[in-house]
Amino acid sequence: MGKILEGVLDWSEVWATLIPLIVYIWIKPKAIWTRPLLIYLLIALLLGVVVDITWKSKELGIKDWVERTLWWLYRGKILYTLIFYNINSFLRLLLLTWFFYKVNPLYKKTYLIITSLFLTGVIINFGFFENIVLSFSSRLFTIEAAIILFYCLLYYYTVNMNDEIKSPLALPPFWIVMGLTLYTSVNFLIFLFYNYLINAERTYAMSIWNVHNLIYIVLMIFIAIGFKKAK
């Protein structure tokens, strides 16, 4: 039973992402704010498939094929797939900023300023301090989580100040923002210390990532609910 649960969690960044994608295909929501989420989900699915297939290549019997295909990610005998996590975090913030721009356009200048500072910080960080291929960037993930949580709070404030809204739960984006709030608040400390844990306690780091995977599943369910209510 333990191995089954471990396998389910190991592949969660693939199968869980399919939940909102299937709902999207089924419902076909027309709301313009669903577009950045759809793009994010497709990218997350692609990167999740690459990471998990690479990680499980030996079990799947495709280790030689992976070595030939991803030779540029090898350093000695070690295959580094951390670049895909860094890319996912970077693109996720940009696409979610687009999402918040559509559902809460009152803060257009705020989004522009924060995005500009974020892009500048990413360039400086990976240009001078961290290797995007060799390291899991706790800085990138932590800042991303903090910014998204801030956007969530701005959204809650706007909804709370709008007297015309009788029930926030009736708003499809509200469900997605709730999922993002849970995801970022729970994972903030994990992201903050994860790079240290990888180097100091690798086994514990891999175990604690299961917490991230569980919350990721919850996030995907909330996004699916948002899509369903947007029909």
Side-chain angles (χ1 to χ4, degrees), residues 39-126:
I39 296 172
Y40 159 62
L41 292 171
L42 291 173
I43 292 174
L45 178 61
L46 175 61
L47 295 178
V49 168
V50 172
V51 169
D52 286 352
I53 286 181
T54 302
W55 180 25
K56 301 288 186 177
S57 61
K58 188 174 182 179
E59 296 177 24
L60 297 172
I62 57 173
K63 191 173 186 297
D64 292 338
W65 177 81
V66 169
E67 289 179 352
R68 290 195 304 270
T69 305
L70 299 179
W71 57 268
W72 51 283
L73 289 178
Y74 274 89
R75 295 297 184 273
K77 294 183 178 181
I78 300 176
L79 175 63
Y80 289 88
T81 57
L82 298 175
I83 184 176
F84 298 118
Y85 284 99
N86 293 329
I87 291 174
N88 188 37
S89 176
F90 172 75
L91 294 179
R92 177 167 55 205
L93 178 62
L94 296 183
L95 291 167
L96 288 179
T97 299
W98 181 12
F99 162 74
F100 280 104
Y101 177 84
K102 293 300 182 183
V103 299
N104 191 18
L106 293 176
Y107 302 96
K108 293 179 181 180
K109 290 184 178 179
T110 301
Y111 302 143
L112 179 60
I113 293 171
I114 291 178
T115 301
S116 299
L117 292 173
F118 174 73
L119 292 174
T120 302
V122 168
I123 293 172
I124 294 174
N125 182 59
F126 289 119

Side-chain angles (χ1 to χ4, degrees), residues 103-230:
V103 299
N104 191 18
L106 293 176
Y107 302 96
K108 293 179 181 180
K109 290 184 178 179
T110 301
Y111 302 143
L112 179 60
I113 293 171
I114 291 178
T115 301
S116 299
L117 292 173
F118 174 73
L119 292 174
T120 302
V122 168
I123 293 172
I124 294 174
N125 182 59
F126 289 119
F128 298 97
F129 299 105
E130 291 185 313
N131 188 313
I132 193 173
V133 176
L134 301 180
S135 63
F136 177 94
S137 180
S138 286
R139 295 172 186 169
L140 174 63
F141 273 78
T142 304
I143 292 173
E144 177 221 347
I147 292 174
I148 293 174
L149 185 57
F150 175 65
Y151 289 164
C152 290
L153 295 176
L154 287 180
Y155 178 82
Y156 292 138
Y157 176 76
T158 300
V159 170
N160 185 59
M161 295 300 292
N162 191 337
D163 295 332
E164 296 179 2
I165 299 176
K166 295 181 179 179
S167 174
L169 295 178
L171 302 173
F174 189 83
W175 288 87
I176 296 167
V177 175
M178 282 198 298
L180 289 172
T181 303
L182 180 63
Y183 178 80
T184 53
S185 58
V186 171
N187 286 308
F188 181 83
L189 289 178
I190 294 177
F191 294 156
L192 182 62
F193 296 107
Y194 201 72
N195 194 40
Y196 167 78
L197 290 175
I198 289 178
N199 296 318
E201 296 288 343
R202 190 173 185 84
T203 301
Y204 179 70
M206 294 177 66
S207 298
I208 202 172
W209 193 254
N210 287 331
V211 176
H212 165 272
N213 290 340
L214 285 170
I215 302 302
Y216 182 80
I217 295 170
V218 174
L219 171 61
M220 293 299 107
I221 293 173
F222 271 83
I223 293 177
I225 294 172
F227 283 166
K228 188 175 185 302
K229 289 183 173 292

